[in-house]
Amino acid sequence: MNDSADIRFLLTIRESGSLIAAARKLGLSPSAVTQRLQQLEKKLGAQLVSRTARRLQFTDEGTLLCERGADLIEQFDSLFDDLQMRRNGLVGTLKINAPLGFGRRHLAPVIGDFQQQNPDIDVALTLSDQPLTETMDRFDIVVHIGELPLSNRVGYAIAPNARFVCAAPALLKRLGMPESPDELSRLPCIVLRENNEDVTLWQFSKGRTRRSVRVSAHLSCNDGDVIRQWACEGRGVILRSEWDVADDIARGKLVRLLPGWKAPDANVMALTHQRVGVPARTRHFMQFLQSRFKPVPPWRR
């Protein structure tokens, strides 16, 4: 294997999930894709992909080649991006994945402005309710909110973001204001399903004191806008990011509960593949993104 095209070909098969889908993406016939794969395996003297009627599975050799090859391709592209930038400016495609609500409200405007200032860059934004469960290798940047699980990605701080317990004034008038986290268990609550977390276990701290409360949630959704609207309608208590509820609290639609107790922060981060060899367009977007949330993020202005 002496051509990066072979690695790109194999990575396309992995991203597509099937030879037929890969053929569509490559603009080839399925038989041509199969033949090229066989030639590549013959050249390397190893089977790379196990092909059955029902599924396509990479062998250990194929997996190793994809993992190591993806790093090489990224460095290769980064080198030529930097050379191109020196000559003509920023170019290429930037693929970004982000949570639904935050992506719509705060990230989309930033991306629109960035692309307008850098017209030779194409930006592909994907919004998801579970961005970390997506195939992260498909994206140059993954925006994440909250605690970061173990990952080989490199994280960059974008903005601070607290989490507040909130409810509508009408609900509090009917059921009373809770004085401690334990009292939340008697109130109707609404939860956001995301990232396979235990969403009905709410945790709080006050100094060295810790409280964990199992709430009763008869309403749940994977879209934060929906649960916030339900809360504004007085249907239950929510535990939600500051970026999402700050406006409603300021307007009196929601009331912050238990201000003396602190829920775990859910700071905004951007994740990239690695520190070395990151394309110029990715680095410049990261700097642009960070600048838009400094010195304080929009929800604290």
Side-chain angles (χ1 to χ4, degrees), residues 46-67:
Q47 184 181 18
L48 303 176
V49 180
S50 174
R51 304 176 283 283
T52 66
R54 293 193 172 186
R55 64 175 184 167
L56 180 150
Q57 184 173 2
F58 278 76
T59 63
D60 289 343
E61 291 77 10
T63 300
L64 176 64
L65 186 57
C66 284
E67 291 176 351

Side-chain angles (χ1 to χ4, degrees), residues 92-237:
T93 300
L94 183 63
K95 299 177 182 178
I96 303 172
N97 194 359
L100 286 167
F102 186 84
R104 278 194 298 260
R105 194 182 309 178
H106 292 292
L107 193 59
V110 176
I111 290 175
D113 292 344
F114 177 79
Q115 200 283 325
Q116 188 173 34
Q117 293 182 23
N118 300 275
D120 292 327
I121 296 181
D122 298 329
V123 184
L125 173 63
T126 299
L127 299 182
S128 169
D129 61 335
Q130 294 185 337
L132 290 185
T133 64
E134 300 274 355
T135 306
M136 293 180 67
D137 289 342
R138 292 171 47 206
F139 301 98
D140 302 300
I141 295 175
V142 174
V143 176
H144 175 67
I145 299 176
E147 184 178 352
L148 182 64
L150 290 176
S151 170
N152 58 0
R153 287 267 178 147
V154 179
Y156 297 84
I158 301 300
N161 175 55
R163 299 169 78 207
F164 297 155
V165 182
C166 307
L171 179 74
L172 299 174
K173 184 177 181 180
R174 190 169 74 248
L175 300 178
M177 179 79 75
E179 299 296 330
S180 72
D182 295 333
E183 293 184 35
L184 294 173
S185 61
R186 68 174 177 81
L187 298 176
C189 295
I190 306 169
V191 297
L192 176 67
R193 302 190 308 270
E194 58 181 355
N195 292 325
N196 297 319
E197 297 174 356
D198 186 354
V199 294
T200 61
L201 185 64
W202 293 1
Q203 301 182 22
F204 302 90
S205 63
K206 179 191 284 188
R208 296 184 178 181
T209 304
R210 300 288 186 271
R211 287 285 187 277
S212 295
V213 182
R214 179 69 69 180
V215 299
S216 175
H218 297 294
L219 286 172
S220 68
C221 185
N222 67 332
D223 189 324
D225 282 350
V226 171
I227 72 163
R228 180 175 52 81
Q229 183 59 39
W230 281 339
C232 289
E233 293 169 358
R235 301 182 188 279
V237 178

Side-chain angles (χ1 to χ4, degrees), residues 12 19-30 32-33:
T12 300
L19 296 182
I20 293 177
R24 243 184 261 117
K25 186 175 292 187
L26 293 167
L28 301 172
S29 67
V33 171

